[in-house]
C-alpha cells in the first residue's frame, strides 16, 4: 500500500505542478479565457489513464494462467523501466520545469486552442499512464485489489491538496530534495516489482529456475503475518525468492540507487585563457 501511495503521490504531484504552472502562467499573462482548453486536455488525460487501467484489469481476466503470468511479468518490467526513467527525468528537470513548461505554453498559444489541449493532455497523460501501469502491476504482485488502489488514491488525493496549496502560495518546499528522496524510495519499490515480474515470467515458463530458491525465511516472516503483509505491501518483499529474483533485484537496485544519489555535475565552464597565450595567438595570426 505504501509503495502505491508513493507512486500516486509522486506522479500526482508532478501532474499537479504541471497544471498549476500552466494555469498560473495563463492567468498572469492575461489569457484566462484560454483555461478551458487546458482543463479539457487534463480531463482527456485522466479519462485515458482510467480507461488504460480498466483495459489492463478486465482484458487480462480472460487470459489463461500462463498467459496472465507472462503479461504480468512483461508489464512489471515495463513499469519498472518507466518509473526508473521518470525518477531520473525529474531529478534532472525539477529545477527548470517551470521555464520548460512556460516555453511550451508560449508556443501552444501562438498555434491556437488545439495546441493548448495537446500540451496539457501530454503533460498530464504521461503521469497518468505510468500510474495506471504501476498500480496494476502492484495489484498483481500482492494479489490484493483493494489496498494498492486505496494507497494510490490516497497518494493522488494528497498530491491534489499539495498542488492546490502550491498554487495558492501557502506551501513552499524544496522540490529538488522532495523528488530526490521519494525517488530513492521508489527505486527500492521498483526493485521489488521487478523481482516479482521475474517470478511471473518463471511461472509462465519463460524463464528457468522457479524451483531454485535463494533462501526461504517463510517460518520467520510468514507471508500472512502483519509484518509479512507490511513488507510485501511496502517493498514487494518475498520470503522465498528464487536465485534469479535475488540476483535481478541486486543487479537493479545497487547501480540504479548509486547513480540516482550521485551528485549531479553542472555544465563545464571553460577556463579563461591566459593573457600570454592570447598575445601569442594574435602574433601568430598576424605573421600568417
Amino acid at each position: 500500500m505504501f509503495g502505491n501511495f508513493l507512486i500516486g503521490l509522486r506522479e500526482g504531484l508532478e501532474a499537479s505542478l504541471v497544471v498549476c504552472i500552466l494555469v498560473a502562467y495563463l492567468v498572469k499573462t492575461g489569457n484566462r479565457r484560454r483555461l478551458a482548453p487546458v482543463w479539457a486536455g487534463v480531463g482527456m488525460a485522466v479519462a485515458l489513464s482510467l480507461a488504460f487501467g480498466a483495459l489492463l484489469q478486465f482484458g487480462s481476466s480472460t487470459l489463461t494462467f500462463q498467459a496472465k503470468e507472462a503479461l504480468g511479468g512483461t508489464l512489471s518490467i515495463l513499469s519498472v523501466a518507466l518509473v526508473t526513467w521518470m525518477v531520473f527525468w525529474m531529478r534532472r528537470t525539477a529545477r527548470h520545469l517551470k521555464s520548460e513548461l512556460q516555453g511550451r505554453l508560449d508556443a501552444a498559444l501562438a498555434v491556437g486552442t488545439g495546441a493548448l489541449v495537446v500540451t496539457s493532455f501530454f503533460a498530464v497523460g504521461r503521469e497518468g499512464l505510468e500510474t495506471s501501469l504501476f498500480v496494476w502491476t502492484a495489484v498483481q504482485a500482492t494479489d490484493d485489489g483493494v489496498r494498492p488502489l486505496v494507497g494510490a488514491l490516497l497518494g493522488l488525493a494528497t498530491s491534489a491538496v499539495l498542488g492546490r496549496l502550491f498554487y495558492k502560495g501557502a506551501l513552499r518546499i524544496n522540490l529538488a530534495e522532495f523528488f530526490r528522496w521519494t525517488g530513492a524510495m521508489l527505486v527500492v519499490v521498483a526493485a521489488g516489482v521487478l523481482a516479482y515480474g521475474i517470478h511471473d515470467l518463471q511461472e509462465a515458463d519463460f524463464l528457468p529456475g522457479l524451483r531454485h530458491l535463494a533462501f526461504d525465511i517463510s517460518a520467520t516472516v510468514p507471508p500472512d503475518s502483519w509484518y509479512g503483509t507490511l513488507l510485501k505491501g511496502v517493498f514487494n518483499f518475498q520470503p522465498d525468492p528464487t536465485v534469479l529474483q535475488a540476483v535481478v533485484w541486486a543487479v537493479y537496485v545497487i547501480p540504479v540507487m548509486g547513480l540516482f544519489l550521485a551528485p549531479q555535475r553542472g555544465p563545464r565552464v571553460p577556463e579563461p585563457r591566459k593573457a600570454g597565450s592570447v598575445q601569442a595567438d594574435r602574433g601568430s595570426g598576424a605573421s600568417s
Side-chain angles (χ1 to χ4, degrees):
M1 181 173 177
F2 174 76
N4 293 281
F5 173 82
L6 191 61
I7 193 70
L9 176 63
R10 253 195 80 103
E11 296 283 7
L13 188 57
E14 286 183 35
S16 296
L17 288 174
V18 166
V19 173
C20 287
I21 292 171
L22 295 179
V23 171
Y25 188 65
L26 287 175
V27 172
K28 289 181 179 179
T29 55
N31 290 286
R32 187 182 290 271
R33 65 185 185 282
R34 300 291 191 95
L35 288 176
V38 170
W39 287 115
V42 172
M44 291 169 60
V46 172
L48 177 64
S49 303
L50 294 174
F52 180 60
L55 178 63
L56 288 175
Q57 180 61 32
F58 296 110
S60 63
S61 62
T62 60
L63 299 176
T64 63
F65 173 79
Q66 187 175 15
K68 189 173 182 178
E69 294 301 303
L71 177 64
T74 303
L75 291 181
S76 293
I77 295 172
L78 177 60
S79 68
V80 169
L82 288 174
V83 168
T84 305
W85 174 84
M86 176 265 293
V87 297
F88 277 97
W89 177 83
M90 182 53 71
R91 175 178 180 263
R92 186 179 66 254
T93 61
R95 296 179 181 178
H96 52 84
L97 179 63
K98 183 176 180 180
S99 58
E100 180 180 329
L101 285 173
Q102 288 177 349
R104 293 182 186 177
L105 197 56
D106 284 335
L109 284 169
V111 174
T113 300
L116 288 173
V117 175
V118 172
T119 299
S120 59
F121 173 78
F122 281 108
V124 177
R126 179 177 59 84
E127 278 81 12
L129 292 175
E130 288 176 359
T131 303
S132 296
L133 179 57
F134 200 86
V135 171
W136 184 83
T137 55
V139 169
Q140 303 307 307
T142 58
D143 295 324
D144 183 354
V146 177
R147 280 178 291 186
L149 291 178
V150 171
L153 290 174
L154 287 175
L156 291 171
T158 304
S159 68
V161 173
L162 291 176
R164 181 68 177 175
L165 292 175
F166 276 123
Y167 181 76
K168 293 294 185 181
L171 182 63
R172 296 182 182 275
I173 63 174
N174 188 325
L175 289 177
E177 286 299 310
F178 173 83
F179 285 118
R180 175 181 173 86
W181 293 112
T182 56
M185 289 186 285
L186 269 181
V187 169
V188 177
V189 173
V193 173
L194 178 60
Y196 201 88
I198 296 298
H199 186 265
D200 280 348
L201 293 177
Q202 288 179 311
E203 289 192 325
D205 294 329
F206 275 56
L207 293 175
L210 182 60
R211 306 300 175 190
H212 296 84
L213 301 184
F215 54 84
D216 187 353
I217 55 173
S218 301
T220 307
V221 186
D224 56 351
S225 63
W226 69 267
Y227 46 92
T229 302
L230 180 64
L231 288 172
K232 188 174 184 62
V234 175
F235 302 112
N236 285 300
F237 173 78
Q238 185 177 339
D240 55 345
T242 65
V243 173
L244 185 57
Q245 280 183 276
V247 169
V248 168
W249 187 93
V251 167
Y252 170 83
V253 78
I254 294 174
V256 171
M257 185 68 77
L259 288 172
F260 183 75
L261 295 179
Q264 297 189 63
R265 295 181 179 180
R268 189 174 181 180
V269 179
E271 296 181 1
R273 303 180 68 182
K274 295 181 180 179
S277 62
V278 174
Q279 293 175 357
D281 289 345
R282 290 176 178 173
S284 61
S287 60
S288 61

